[in-house]
Amino acid sequence: MLSAFNPQPTLHGPTLSLRALTEADREPLFSAASDPAIWAGHPAKDRHIRTVFDPYFDTLLASKSTLSVTHKGTGGMIGCSRYYTAPNAPDSISIGYTFLTRPYWGGDTNHQMKALMLAHAFEHVDRVWLHIDPTNIRSQRATAKLGATLTEEGPLTLGGKQGIWQSWCLSRADWQKAINARLN
């Protein structure tokens, strides 16, 4: 990760707060992750099971770049997302390892969360990468709405596991265009 970049900032939006993931978040995040339908579009489809979730949480915590996502209205933890460096973009910032609880699908929540994270990242880089499982259509649609472009699909090692991933790139200029289009 870039040396001047803080991968665990505290970020606030109209309805969301993002902050560094801590050990105290294990139970609230497990509660958020306990719905099997959340993981249907993810490569690891069984993260709703405690014995699978705990090692996943340990990895997120050890990364020191994961942000918990809390809804301001309810005060409840509704998911998480993470900054990371991908092998195909070592001098850039990537955003991923994201999940949200189902009540927050299809609305403004993912956009607001990513907007906060992107604004922070674009203070340091001109491009941000997002990597998506080719079967995760919901994430692909949400990423396209951000203004990102699919650049390639192929083998990539993420989180210590090799798989086939889609690599999406979002430039600062394309992000600004997407924001302007959303405002008009």
Side-chain angles (χ1 to χ4, degrees):
M1 192 95 36
L2 304 172
S3 61
F5 180 72
N6 173 8
Q8 287 188 306
T10 298
L11 305 170
H12 297 285
T15 63
L16 301 177
S17 292
L18 285 68
R19 62 162 176 76
L21 186 74
T22 68
E23 179 61 41
D25 296 325
R26 185 179 297 268
E27 292 310 314
L29 197 60
F30 178 65
S31 179
S34 64
D35 178 356
I38 290 172
W39 304 104
H42 286 252
K45 303 199 182 317
D46 52 359
R47 286 191 180 140
H48 63 284
I49 300 169
R50 188 67 197 227
T51 56
V52 177
F53 174 82
D54 279 338
Y56 170 66
F57 182 87
D58 292 341
T59 299
L60 293 176
L61 190 61
S63 76
K64 298 190 184 312
S65 61
T66 303
L67 301 173
S68 65
V69 181
T70 303
H71 190 273
K72 289 180 177 180
T74 66
M77 190 169 296
I78 63 169
C80 68
S81 193
R82 174 179 162 195
Y83 292 108
Y84 63 97
T85 302
N88 66 334
D91 295 328
S92 194
I93 295 171
S94 297
I95 296 174
Y97 298 86
T98 303
F99 82 87
L100 292 169
T101 57
R102 284 195 294 161
Y104 299 97
W105 290 4
D108 187 53
T109 303
N110 183 63
H111 191 274
Q112 185 182 152
M113 174 187 58
K114 293 285 177 36
L116 292 166
M117 293 179 75
L118 288 164
H120 179 65
F122 284 136
E123 292 175 9
H124 301 275
V125 294
D126 292 323
R127 295 179 304 158
V128 173
W129 291 87
L130 301 103
H131 300 91
I132 303 171
D133 185 280
T135 64
N136 192 338
I137 304 303
R138 187 172 34 85
S139 290
Q140 292 169 34
R141 287 182 184 144
T143 301
K145 286 180 187 176
L146 295 172
T149 304
L150 175 62
T151 62
E152 65 180 303
E153 183 174 318
L156 189 62
T157 301
L158 294 174
K161 297 178 183 174
Q162 183 161 4
I164 302 299
W165 296 93
Q166 291 184 343
S167 294
W168 293 69
C169 185
L170 180 59
S171 70
R172 184 182 312 186
D174 287 340
W175 170 238
Q176 193 59 55
K177 285 179 198 172
I179 290 173
N180 291 339
R182 197 170 166 93
L183 295 174
N184 296 327

